Amino acid sequence: MPSVRRRRADPAAGTGSTRARYRRILRFAAWQLAVTWWFELLLPRIGLARIAERTRARRMRRFAQRFRVLAADLGGLMIKVGQFLSSRLDVLPPEITAELEGLQDEAPPVPFAAIRDLAEAELGAPLDLVFAAVEEKPIAAASLGQAHRARLLGTDAADTGLDTVVVKVQRPGIEAIVDVDLAALRKVGGWLSHVRLVSKRADMPALVEEFAQTSLEEIDYLHEAENLERFAADFNGDGRVAVPEVVWERTTRRVLTLEDVTAIKITDVAALSAAGIDPAEVAPVFASVMFDQLFTNGFFHADPHPGNMFVTPTTDPAAEHPWKLTFIDFGMMGEVPAGTRSGLRKLLIAAASRDGKGLVAAISDVGVLVPSADTAELERAMTHLFARFGGMGFAELREVDPREFLDFAEEFGDLVRSLPFQLPENFLLIVRAMSLTSGVCSSLDPRFNLWDSVEPYAARLLRDERGNIVQDAGQQALDAAGLALRLPKRLDGLITRIEDGSLSVTSPRLERQLSRLNRTAQRTTSALIFGALLIAGAVVRADDPALGSGLMIVSVVPLLQALWAGQTRR
């Protein structure tokens, strides 16, 4: 996708309102980072990890609630950030994702007079001379723009074959707001890059820049129109998909005029049923269309939430289904590079075949694991996961005894957290698209099982891949031969490591016992430090009252830690 480059804003040079907005975002982020540092880094280091664990759920929920208020109040890109956080079910706790799940990109509508002024300035003529009619009441108002229904003039209608259209107009002043929000996000990204726990997982400044490019492209309506036509070309002749036509003569960088394709909202189950459409039939088709975008085309709709999807009834007797999936809003699109797409295909095939080792290899190919990672234990974890939970849909997973998930987390949680995972730059939009796809499918059919869509799609990929079954079998034979050739050398290396004492053996249970011993040693040390500080303060106080009193006061910290440790042991 072509990049959109703009001069970076200096919030210090902006108006009072932009400076206040910038400072408010930074104050919120700084406070949350301070709270996280105190509870998640400092307290565990002095043996008070139980306090952090006991308050974690409440703190996460409070953070999400405060961020939701901030996003709803400020609008702009803060809404987009909140929507992204709500989709990160893979790394964020449910206290955050559940609270932000209902955050909608809605904003109070801009008065029509302001919309009229901007549209007329962009189109170069009064609206009365450009359209036959424009409804003053918007059909949608979001943080970046709002849409009005209109009718084309007779000449334009004859040229395009369209009558009713939707005119999407950028919110006045949104460019300045986006610049300020991006400046604040870049600052926060810089802070996070100095937190080792975060920096070893992801390059935060790079992720912010990816988000910035996507956001700047989203407010360039010429770019959105180009995205729409590219998407339409990818699905040309595909009876499952429909998109609106662009009225280029009435489109500029800040005004976009499209065919009105309003139909049944994809998650309106009652309306679908009333139209004779089975929602359970729509779910697998939608999943398959999204898979095609991600794994075959490499160009995908990154914001497929229910507001951007319609189900349009058709009367075409040759169509496989008496309806089509109609996509709108192509401002947020993503591209999957060929290398990443190949890795995603391998990942999908491995998941469909319940191949834990193959899944870990695909994860490495995609770039989520650094090349130096020791993946043997992760392969065991994935094999165990597939053996117990593989093939289950969301409804079936909800019926599993929660203790089974806890047992799995206890056995493999530390392993997953310790591995050097990293988040590739192009994964933000992929994760968002797949999260939204899963949510829409579950809304259409609560018992929808993603595996039912993954398995036939993976089988098709296997047939389509140049490495077909015969070649795959040949490759496996070559791999086996290579393993046989390497086996003597590997055995010799193993014996050498045993002889020189460098062979390491890991045992999660043993490591937990050692961890308990380590905590006990820390508590004993705290008690000794308390005694030393108290005695030193008492001795010094006679000659230097200020220093002595200070030492005695500081001794309270290790005392509290030792007392807390004793209570938790009992």
Side-chain angles (χ1 to χ4, degrees), residues 164-215:
T164 305
V165 294
V166 172
V167 182
K168 185 176 174 181
V169 183
Q170 194 179 95
R171 286 181 83 91
I174 192 60
E175 290 184 333
I177 290 175
V178 168
D179 284 343
V180 170
D181 289 356
L182 289 178
L185 291 174
R186 287 183 176 109
K187 176 69 74 174
V188 175
W191 291 346
L192 291 173
S193 68
H194 297 294
V195 179
R196 194 169 66 89
L197 187 65
V198 175
S199 61
K200 72 178 182 179
R201 301 292 188 190
D203 183 349
M204 288 306 300
L207 292 178
V208 170
E209 289 309 314
E210 181 188 357
F211 181 76
Q213 178 175 330
T214 302
S215 301

Coordinates of all heavy atoms in Angstrom, one line a residue, residues 164-215:
T164 N -29.4 6.9 -5.5 CA -29.1 7.2 -4.1 C -27.6 6.9 -3.8 O -27.2 5.8 -4.1 CB -30.0 6.4 -3.2 OG1 -31.4 6.7 -3.5 CG2 -29.8 6.8 -1.7
V165 N -27.0 7.8 -3.1 CA -25.6 7.6 -2.7 C -25.4 8.0 -1.2 O -26.3 8.6 -0.6 CB -24.6 8.4 -3.6 CG1 -24.7 8.0 -5.0 CG2 -25.0 9.9 -3.5
V166 N -24.2 7.6 -0.7 CA -23.8 8.1 0.6 C -22.6 9.0 0.5 O -21.6 8.6 -0.2 CB -23.5 6.8 1.5 CG1 -22.9 7.3 2.8 CG2 -24.7 6.0 1.8
V167 N -22.7 10.2 1.1 CA -21.6 11.1 1.0 C -20.9 11.1 2.4 O -21.5 11.5 3.4 CB -22.1 12.5 0.7 CG1 -21.0 13.5 0.6 CG2 -22.9 12.5 -0.7
K168 N -19.7 10.7 2.4 CA -18.9 10.7 3.6 C -18.0 11.9 3.7 O -17.2 12.1 2.8 CB -18.1 9.4 3.6 CG -17.3 9.1 4.9 CD -16.7 7.7 4.8 CE -15.8 7.4 5.9 NZ -15.1 6.0 5.8
V169 N -18.1 12.7 4.8 CA -17.4 13.9 4.9 C -16.5 13.9 6.1 O -17.0 13.5 7.2 CB -18.3 15.1 5.0 CG1 -17.5 16.4 5.0 CG2 -19.3 15.1 3.8
Q170 N -15.3 14.3 6.0 CA -14.3 14.3 7.1 C -14.8 15.3 8.2 O -15.3 16.4 7.8 CB -13.0 14.6 6.6 CG -11.8 14.4 7.6 CD -10.5 14.8 6.9 OE1 -10.0 15.9 7.2 NE2 -9.9 13.9 6.2
R171 N -14.6 15.0 9.5 CA -15.0 15.9 10.5 C -14.1 17.1 10.4 O -12.8 17.0 10.3 CB -14.8 15.3 11.9 CG -15.9 14.3 12.3 CD -15.7 13.7 13.7 NE -16.2 14.6 14.7 CZ -17.5 14.5 15.2 NH1 -18.3 13.6 14.7 NH2 -17.9 15.4 16.1
P172 N -14.6 18.3 10.5 CA -13.8 19.5 10.4 C -12.8 19.5 11.6 O -13.1 19.2 12.7 CB -14.8 20.7 10.6 CG -16.1 20.1 10.0 CD -16.1 18.7 10.4
G173 N -11.5 19.8 11.3 CA -10.5 19.8 12.3 C -9.9 18.5 12.8 O -9.0 18.5 13.6
I174 N -10.3 17.4 12.1 CA -9.9 16.1 12.6 C -8.4 15.9 12.3 O -7.7 15.1 13.1 CB -10.7 15.0 11.9 CG1 -10.5 13.6 12.6 CG2 -10.4 14.9 10.5 CD1 -10.8 13.6 14.1
E175 N -7.9 16.5 11.3 CA -6.4 16.3 11.0 C -5.6 16.8 12.1 O -4.6 16.1 12.5 CB -6.1 17.0 9.7 CG -6.7 16.4 8.4 CD -6.2 17.1 7.2 OE1 -5.9 18.3 7.2 OE2 -6.2 16.4 6.1
A176 N -5.9 17.9 12.7 CA -5.1 18.5 13.8 C -5.2 17.5 15.1 O -4.3 17.3 15.8 CB -5.6 19.9 14.2
I177 N -6.4 17.0 15.3 CA -6.7 16.1 16.4 C -5.8 14.8 16.2 O -5.2 14.3 17.1 CB -8.2 15.7 16.5 CG1 -8.9 17.0 17.0 CG2 -8.4 14.6 17.5 CD1 -10.4 16.8 17.1
V178 N -5.8 14.3 15.0 CA -5.1 13.1 14.7 C -3.6 13.3 14.9 O -2.9 12.5 15.5 CB -5.3 12.6 13.3 CG1 -4.3 11.5 12.8 CG2 -6.7 12.0 13.2
D179 N -3.1 14.5 14.5 CA -1.7 14.8 14.7 C -1.3 14.8 16.2 O -0.3 14.3 16.6 CB -1.4 16.2 14.1 CG -1.2 16.1 12.6 OD1 -1.1 15.0 12.0 OD2 -1.3 17.1 11.9
V180 N -2.2 15.4 17.0 CA -1.9 15.5 18.4 C -1.9 14.1 19.1 O -1.1 13.8 19.9 CB -2.9 16.4 19.1 CG1 -2.8 16.3 20.6 CG2 -2.7 17.9 18.7
D181 N -2.9 13.3 18.7 CA -3.1 12.0 19.3 C -1.8 11.1 18.9 O -1.3 10.4 19.7 CB -4.3 11.3 18.8 CG -5.6 11.9 19.4 OD1 -5.5 12.8 20.2 OD2 -6.7 11.5 19.0
L182 N -1.4 11.2 17.7 CA -0.2 10.5 17.3 C 1.0 10.9 18.0 O 1.9 10.1 18.3 CB 0.0 10.6 15.7 CG -1.0 9.8 14.9 CD1 -0.8 10.1 13.4 CD2 -1.0 8.3 15.2
A183 N 1.2 12.2 18.2 CA 2.3 12.8 19.0 C 2.3 12.2 20.4 O 3.4 11.8 20.9 CB 2.3 14.3 19.0
A184 N 1.1 12.1 21.0 CA 1.1 11.6 22.3 C 1.4 10.1 22.3 O 2.1 9.6 23.2 CB -0.3 11.8 22.9
L185 N 0.8 9.3 21.4 CA 1.1 7.9 21.3 C 2.6 7.6 21.0 O 3.1 6.6 21.5 CB 0.2 7.3 20.2 CG -1.3 7.2 20.5 CD1 -2.0 6.7 19.2 CD2 -1.6 6.3 21.7
R186 N 3.2 8.5 20.2 CA 4.7 8.3 20.0 C 5.5 8.5 21.3 O 6.4 7.8 21.6 CB 5.2 9.2 18.9 CG 4.7 8.9 17.5 CD 5.3 9.8 16.5 NE 4.9 9.4 15.1 CZ 4.1 10.1 14.3 NH1 3.5 11.2 14.8 NH2 3.8 9.7 13.1
K187 N 5.0 9.4 22.1 CA 5.7 9.7 23.4 C 5.5 8.5 24.3 O 6.5 8.0 24.9 CB 5.1 10.9 24.0 CG 5.7 11.2 25.4 CD 7.1 11.6 25.4 CE 7.3 13.0 24.8 NZ 8.7 13.5 24.9
V188 N 4.3 7.9 24.4 CA 4.1 6.8 25.2 C 4.8 5.6 24.7 O 5.4 4.8 25.4 CB 2.5 6.5 25.3 CG1 2.3 5.2 26.0 CG2 1.8 7.6 25.9
G189 N 4.9 5.4 23.3 CA 5.6 4.3 22.8 C 7.1 4.4 23.1 O 7.8 3.4 23.4
G190 N 7.6 5.6 23.2 CA 9.0 5.8 23.6 C 9.2 5.4 25.0 O 10.2 4.8 25.4
W191 N 8.3 5.7 25.9 CA 8.4 5.3 27.3 C 8.4 3.8 27.4 O 9.2 3.2 28.1 CB 7.2 5.8 28.1 CG 7.2 7.3 28.3 CD1 8.2 8.2 28.1 CD2 6.1 8.1 28.7 NE1 7.8 9.5 28.3 CE2 6.5 9.5 28.7 CE3 4.7 7.8 29.1 CZ2 5.7 10.5 29.1 CZ3 3.9 8.9 29.5 CH2 4.4 10.2 29.5
L192 N 7.5 3.1 26.7 CA 7.4 1.7 26.8 C 8.6 1.0 26.2 O 8.9 -0.1 26.6 CB 6.1 1.2 26.0 CG 4.8 1.6 26.7 CD1 3.6 1.2 25.8 CD2 4.6 0.9 28.0
S193 N 9.3 1.6 25.3 CA 10.5 1.0 24.7 C 11.6 0.9 25.7 O 12.5 0.1 25.5 CB 11.0 1.8 23.5 OG 11.5 3.1 23.9
H194 N 11.5 1.6 26.8 CA 12.5 1.5 27.9 C 12.1 0.5 29.0 O 12.8 0.3 29.9 CB 12.8 2.9 28.5 CG 13.3 3.9 27.6 ND1 14.6 3.8 27.0 CD2 12.8 5.0 27.0 CE1 14.8 4.8 26.2 NE2 13.7 5.5 26.2
V195 N 10.9 -0.1 28.8 CA 10.5 -1.1 29.8 C 10.8 -2.5 29.2 O 10.3 -2.9 28.2 CB 9.0 -1.0 30.0 CG1 8.5 -2.1 31.0 CG2 8.6 0.4 30.6
R196 N 11.8 -3.2 29.8 CA 12.3 -4.4 29.2 C 11.2 -5.4 29.0 O 11.2 -6.2 28.0 CB 13.4 -5.0 30.1 CG 14.3 -6.0 29.4 CD 15.5 -6.4 30.3 NE 15.1 -7.0 31.5 CZ 15.0 -8.3 31.6 NH1 15.1 -9.1 30.6 NH2 14.6 -8.8 32.8
L197 N 10.3 -5.5 30.0 CA 9.2 -6.5 29.8 C 8.4 -6.3 28.6 O 7.9 -7.2 28.0 CB 8.3 -6.4 31.1 CG 7.2 -7.4 31.2 CD1 7.8 -8.8 31.4 CD2 6.2 -7.1 32.3
V198 N 8.3 -5.0 28.1 CA 7.6 -4.7 26.9 C 8.5 -4.8 25.7 O 8.1 -5.4 24.6 CB 6.9 -3.3 27.0 CG1 6.2 -3.0 25.7 CG2 5.9 -3.3 28.1
S199 N 9.7 -4.2 25.8 CA 10.5 -4.1 24.6 C 11.0 -5.4 24.1 O 11.3 -5.6 22.9 CB 11.8 -3.2 25.0 OG 12.5 -3.8 26.0
K200 N 11.1 -6.4 25.0 CA 11.6 -7.7 24.5 C 10.5 -8.5 23.8 O 10.7 -9.5 23.1 CB 12.1 -8.6 25.6 CG 11.0 -9.1 26.6 CD 11.7 -10.0 27.7 CE 10.7 -10.6 28.6 NZ 11.3 -11.4 29.7
R201 N 9.2 -8.0 23.9 CA 8.1 -8.6 23.2 C 7.7 -7.9 21.9 O 7.3 -8.5 20.9 CB 6.8 -8.6 24.1 CG 7.0 -9.3 25.4 CD 7.1 -10.8 25.2 NE 7.0 -11.5 26.4 CZ 7.3 -12.8 26.6 NH1 7.7 -13.5 25.5 NH2 7.2 -13.4 27.7
A202 N 7.9 -6.6 21.9 CA 7.5 -5.8 20.7 C 8.3 -4.5 20.6 O 8.8 -4.0 21.6 CB 6.0 -5.5 20.8
D203 N 8.5 -4.1 19.4 CA 9.1 -2.8 19.1 C 8.0 -1.7 19.1 O 7.4 -1.5 18.1 CB 9.8 -2.8 17.7 CG 10.6 -1.6 17.4 OD1 10.4 -0.6 18.1 OD2 11.3 -1.5 16.4
M204 N 7.8 -1.2 20.3 CA 6.6 -0.3 20.4 C 6.7 0.9 19.5 O 5.7 1.3 18.9 CB 6.5 0.2 21.9 CG 6.0 -0.9 22.8 SD 4.5 -1.7 22.3 CE 3.3 -0.3 22.3
P205 N 7.8 1.6 19.4 CA 7.8 2.8 18.4 C 7.4 2.3 17.0 O 6.7 3.1 16.3 CB 9.3 3.3 18.5 CG 9.7 2.9 19.9 CD 9.1 1.6 20.1
A206 N 7.9 1.2 16.6 CA 7.5 0.7 15.2 C 6.0 0.4 15.1 O 5.4 0.7 14.1 CB 8.3 -0.6 14.9
L207 N 5.5 -0.2 16.2 CA 4.0 -0.5 16.2 C 3.2 0.8 16.2 O 2.2 0.9 15.5 CB 3.7 -1.3 17.4 CG 4.2 -2.7 17.5 CD1 3.8 -3.4 18.7 CD2 3.7 -3.5 16.3
V208 N 3.7 1.8 16.9 CA 3.0 3.1 16.9 C 3.1 3.7 15.5 O 2.1 4.3 15.0 CB 3.6 4.1 17.9 CG1 3.0 5.5 17.7 CG2 3.3 3.6 19.3
E209 N 4.2 3.6 14.8 CA 4.3 4.1 13.4 C 3.4 3.4 12.5 O 2.8 4.0 11.5 CB 5.8 4.0 13.0 CG 6.7 5.0 13.6 CD 6.2 6.5 13.6 OE1 5.7 6.9 12.5 OE2 6.2 7.1 14.7
E210 N 3.3 2.1 12.7 CA 2.3 1.3 11.8 C 0.9 1.8 12.1 O 0.1 2.0 11.1 CB 2.4 -0.2 12.1 CG 1.5 -1.0 11.3 CD 1.4 -2.5 11.7 OE1 2.1 -2.8 12.7 OE2 0.6 -3.2 11.1
F211 N 0.5 2.0 13.3 CA -0.8 2.6 13.7 C -0.9 4.0 13.1 O -2.0 4.3 12.6 CB -0.9 2.6 15.2 CG -2.3 3.1 15.6 CD1 -3.4 2.3 15.6 CD2 -2.4 4.3 16.2 CE1 -4.6 2.7 16.0 CE2 -3.6 4.8 16.6 CZ -4.8 4.0 16.5
A212 N 0.1 4.8 13.1 CA 0.1 6.1 12.6 C -0.2 6.1 11.1 O -1.0 6.9 10.6 CB 1.4 6.9 12.9
Q213 N 0.5 5.2 10.4 CA 0.3 5.2 8.9 C -1.1 4.8 8.6 O -1.8 5.3 7.7 CB 1.3 4.2 8.3 CG 1.1 4.1 6.8 CD 2.1 3.2 6.1 OE1 3.3 3.1 6.6 NE2 1.8 2.5 5.0
T214 N -1.6 3.8 9.3 CA -3.0 3.3 9.1 C -4.0 4.4 9.3 O -4.9 4.6 8.6 CB -3.3 2.1 10.0 OG1 -2.4 1.0 9.7 CG2 -4.7 1.6 9.7
S215 N -3.8 5.2 10.4 CA -4.7 6.2 10.8 C -4.7 7.4 9.8 O -5.7 7.9 9.4 CB -4.3 6.8 12.2 OG -4.3 5.8 13.2

